[in-house]
Amino acid sequence: MARTRASRPRRPVRRPHAPAAGLAAGLLLTGLFGAPVQAYAATPSPAPPLGSAAGTAGDARYTPGACPRTADPAPELEGARCGTLTVPENRTEPNSRKIRLGVAIVPALAAKPRPDAIAWLAGGPGDDAVGEAKLALDGGLNRDRDLIFMSQRGTYSADPALTCPNIDEFNARATGLRYDSPATEREHVQATKTCRDRLAGLGADLGAYNDVESSADLADLRTALGLDQWNLYGISYGTQLALVTMRLHPEGIRSVGIDGILPPSTAGEALTWSAAKQGFDGLFKACAEQPACDARYPNLPAAFERLVGELQAKPVTTTVTLPDTHRKVKVVLDGVALVNWLTSATHVAAQVPRALDELAHGRPQRIAEQWSVGKYGPQAVGRLSHGLVYGVFCSEWTPYEARDAALRGGEEAFPSFPRTVQSQSPQLAYLHQDCDAWNVPAAPRSIRDVTTSDIPTLAISGGFDSQTGAANGPYVARTLGRPTVVTVPYEPHVVFATSKCAQTIVVSFFDTPTAPDTTCLKGLKPPVFDTGR
C-alpha cells in the first residue's frame, strides 16, 4: 500500500500446431470408417482461446482488440490476447456513462493449460495491473494458467485515466519541506483539491471509484470472458479488493492468494502505525541476532527512536543530485520523513543499520537520496490514479475511522515519538484533510465487514513488511474456512516480488489450494547487514 510510487526475454506464445500429413490422413480415415456420420458431425469445435471472443455480462461488454497502453515498453505482453471491458461508471445510476478498462491475457507457458485462469489485482490503490505484468510473469505465475491483467477503473491504461501529475510533482517537492509545517499541509491539501477539481471538470463521477464498483468489474470480466472458474492473486491494496470480491461476488472463484495484506475491516491510519512497528521490529531483531551487526550497531531501535525525536526538533537539510538530470534538489529530513523513509527502506534492509548510523554521525546523504530521488523520476509522475486513491480512502477508510486515529496509533506503537510525528501516519499524511477536499459519499458501512468464506485462501506476508504488517495474515484467516497463513522471514512488503521461495509457494498453491508446498521456508537466511567494514 502506498500513495506515491530490464527488459524481459520474449516469452514463447502457445500456438496450435498442425499435425503431420500422415497423422492427419490417419485421423481422417478413422473418422470416416470407424464412427457413425452423426457422431463425427457432432464433434464439438475447440473453444476459442481465452480473450479472443467478445462476450457480455449484464451491462458490461468485453471486446477483443489492441493491448492496453503502458507507460514503459512491455515486451512481456507480446503475444498477449487483449481487449476492453466496457462497464457503467456508476451502476447505481441508470443513465451512467460508460468507461473502458484495458485487458491483457498472457497465455500459459504449458502446452495444455489449466482451464481456471489467474486474475492479477494490482496494488496502490491506483496502480495499473497491466503495468505489473512483468512482476507476475517473472514469478512464473503463468506456468500452467493464462494470466489476466485488467486495468482497474481510473488507472493508467483505463479510459478515463484519473491520474494527477500535479500531486506527484508536489510529492517530489515536499521532500524539501518540513512535514509538520502548516504551510506544507496547506500546499498538500491544495494539490489534492486541484486534482479533484480537474477530474470532476472532465466529467468523472468521483464517487464511483471504489471497491464496490471494482469488485463488480471483476465479476463482469469473468462472465464476459466465459470463464466458469478463475483464481485471484492480489498484492498490497489488491488484497483488500480481493477480500471484498470474495464477499460480494464469490461466484466462480476457485482460490485466492493475498500478498501484503490489507484487511478492509481495519484499513486506515492506525493500521499503518501497527504495520510500521512490525516491520521495523523484524528488521532490528534480525540485526541484533547477527553478531557483526549487533556489535557494530548495538540497540538499533533506541538509536532510531532517538533520531526521530532529534530530527523532529531540529531537521537536517541537505542536497542531492538527481541521477538523470544532475539537478540539485533540497531535502529536509525531519522525524516524520525518517519514519516514512524506513517504511520503504525495509526493501533494502541490509543497508538500513549503516544508513541510520551515518545519519547519527552527520552523514545524511544515503537516507536523503533514498528518500527523495525516486519521487523525482519519470516513473513517479503521471502513473498513479489519484482518483482511485482518494475514491477508496475517502469513501471506505476515513468515514469509519476517527480523525485522531493516526495519533492514537502512533502513541500505541511508538510512545516515545513526539506528538507531531505520531499524528502523521506513515504513508498517509494529512489523509482526513485530503478527504475533506475530495468530498465523496461514504461507502455503505458493510464495506468494513470482515470476509467470511470457504474459498481456499493463501495469506502470505513478509517478516519485514512495514507497510501492511505480517499480523494481518492470521487476522483475516480467523474468518476464513480454508486458509493457509505463511510469513516469509526477512522479506518486505509483497513477497512475490522479492522471494523465490514465496513464488514457489504461490505457484504450488494454485495447483493445490489447500496444501501449498512451503518446504522452502526451512532454508531461508537473514540478509547480511552492511557494517561498512
Side-chain angles (χ1 to χ4, degrees):
M1 174 189 64
R3 292 180 67 192
T4 58
R5 296 272 135 269
S7 75
R8 172 185 185 79
R10 180 168 178 168
R11 289 181 172 270
V13 179
R14 217 171 20 87
R15 296 185 176 90
H17 297 284
L23 177 58
L27 290 172
L28 177 62
L29 290 173
T30 301
L32 286 176
F33 293 103
V37 174
Q38 295 89 342
Y40 179 77
T43 300
S45 300
L50 182 65
S52 62
T56 60
D59 292 332
R61 179 174 180 80
Y62 173 77
T63 306
C67 286
R69 69 170 186 153
T70 56
D72 299 309
E76 54 273 9
L77 296 183
E78 293 179 14
R81 298 183 291 270
C82 297
T84 302
L85 185 73
T86 302
V87 298
E89 185 175 42
N90 189 333
R91 289 176 171 84
T92 67
E93 297 291 338
N95 297 318
S96 173
R97 70 172 180 171
K98 302 290 188 179
I99 60 175
R100 290 169 292 280
L101 313 179
V103 178
I105 302 172
V106 177
L109 296 175
K112 295 182 179 180
R114 306 288 178 87
D116 46 289
I118 300 172
W120 178 274
L121 310 187
D127 290 340
D128 190 339
V130 179
E132 293 180 351
K134 177 176 169 55
L135 169 58
L137 296 175
D138 282 352
L141 208 53
N142 70 323
R143 186 194 67 186
D144 298 312
R145 291 172 170 83
D146 290 352
L147 193 50
I148 302 171
F149 303 93
M150 180 173 72
S151 51
Q152 194 178 343
R153 52 178 50 215
T155 58
Y156 183 85
S157 62
D159 182 14
L162 304 187
T163 57
C164 284
N166 76 293
I167 291 181
D168 303 324
E169 291 162 356
F170 172 77
N171 287 335
R173 191 166 57 83
T175 61
L177 304 173
R178 281 201 65 150
Y179 257 96
D180 64 343
S181 162
T184 301
E185 178 181 341
R186 285 194 299 271
E187 288 191 64
H188 192 291
V189 176
Q190 182 58 52
T192 301
K193 186 177 187 305
T194 299
C195 167
R196 187 210 188 278
D197 291 347
R198 184 178 69 81
L199 297 181
L202 295 174
D205 182 349
L206 297 179
Y209 290 80
N210 54 52
D211 287 335
V212 174
E213 294 285 358
S214 291
S215 62
D217 294 340
L218 284 169
D220 283 346
L221 178 64
R222 182 188 66 82
T223 301
L225 290 175
L227 280 170
D228 292 331
Q229 279 194 322
W230 70 355
N231 308 275
L232 304 180
Y233 193 74
I235 64 167
S236 192
Y237 156 74
T239 66
Q240 173 175 312
L241 178 56
L243 289 162
V244 169
T245 304
M246 289 168 69
R247 185 167 55 82
L248 298 183
H249 300 280
E251 303 83 7
I253 302 179
R254 172 180 173 267
S255 67
V256 175
I258 47 177
D259 177 354
I261 301 159
L262 190 61
S265 55
T266 59
E269 292 184 286
L271 181 67
T272 65
W273 274 119
S274 169
K277 181 166 177 55
Q278 291 173 54
F280 299 171
D281 285 352
L283 190 158
F284 295 153
K285 182 173 183 289
C287 172
E289 292 175 347
Q290 199 168 104
C293 188
D294 187 48
R296 181 74 176 84
Y297 311 113
N299 203 358
L300 202 56
F304 168 66
E305 294 192 27
R306 183 180 66 253
L307 281 169
V308 169
E310 290 174 355
L311 289 176
Q312 194 66 4
K314 188 177 181 181
V316 168
T317 300
T318 186
T319 60
V320 302
T321 302
L322 303 180
D324 294 332
T325 64
H326 303 293
R327 169 189 166 200
K328 292 185 180 298
V329 296
K330 183 177 78 168
V331 176
V332 174
L333 295 177
D334 60 12
V336 180
L338 188 63
V339 170
N340 278 272
W341 163 78
L342 186 52
T343 302
S344 298
T346 50
H347 288 268
V348 288
Q351 301 180 36
V352 165
R354 182 176 181 179
L356 290 172
D357 185 68
E358 288 173 350
L359 177 63
H361 288 86
R363 300 191 302 277
Q365 208 64 22
R366 185 190 302 261
I367 289 178
E369 289 176 358
Q370 291 179 354
W371 170 233
S372 62
V373 166
K375 292 181 173 61
Y376 280 95
Q379 292 187 338
V381 179
R383 302 190 182 195
L384 185 71
S385 171
H386 293 280
L388 185 58
V389 169
Y390 290 117
V392 172
F393 288 167
C394 302
S395 70
E396 302 176 26
W397 291 19
T398 57
Y400 302 110
E401 191 173 45
R403 292 188 75 93
D404 65 350
L407 177 61
R408 302 303 167 221
E411 289 174 337
E412 182 175 349
F414 294 99
S416 72
F417 282 0
R419 186 181 179 88
T420 51
V421 175
Q422 294 167 336
S423 64
Q424 296 294 346
S425 58
Q427 313 170 72
L428 298 175
Y430 311 115
L431 181 58
H432 276 272
Q433 297 92 321
D434 283 338
C435 285
D436 290 342
W438 203 254
N439 190 27
V440 291
R445 180 171 286 276
S446 59
I447 198 67
R448 306 286 290 186
D449 288 352
V450 298
T451 297
T452 301
S453 174
D454 283 331
I455 297 171
T457 304
L458 172 67
I460 189 167
S461 307
F464 289 174
D465 186 351
S466 54
Q467 291 170 264
T468 55
N472 287 332
Y475 173 81
V476 298
R478 298 173 310 133
T479 56
L480 298 177
R482 291 190 285 176
T484 300
V485 178
V486 174
T487 298
V488 184
Y490 319 122
E491 294 293 338
H493 186 56
V494 182
V495 293
F496 191 85
T498 59
S499 168
K500 291 295 183 184
C501 178
Q503 293 167 1
T504 298
I505 293 169
V506 171
V507 172
S508 73
F509 166 76
F510 288 117
D511 287 341
T512 54
T514 57
D517 180 3
T518 61
T519 55
C520 62
L521 293 170
K522 298 177 182 177
L524 298 181
K525 296 180 180 179
V528 177
F529 289 97
D530 181 0
T531 62
R533 294 174 178 169

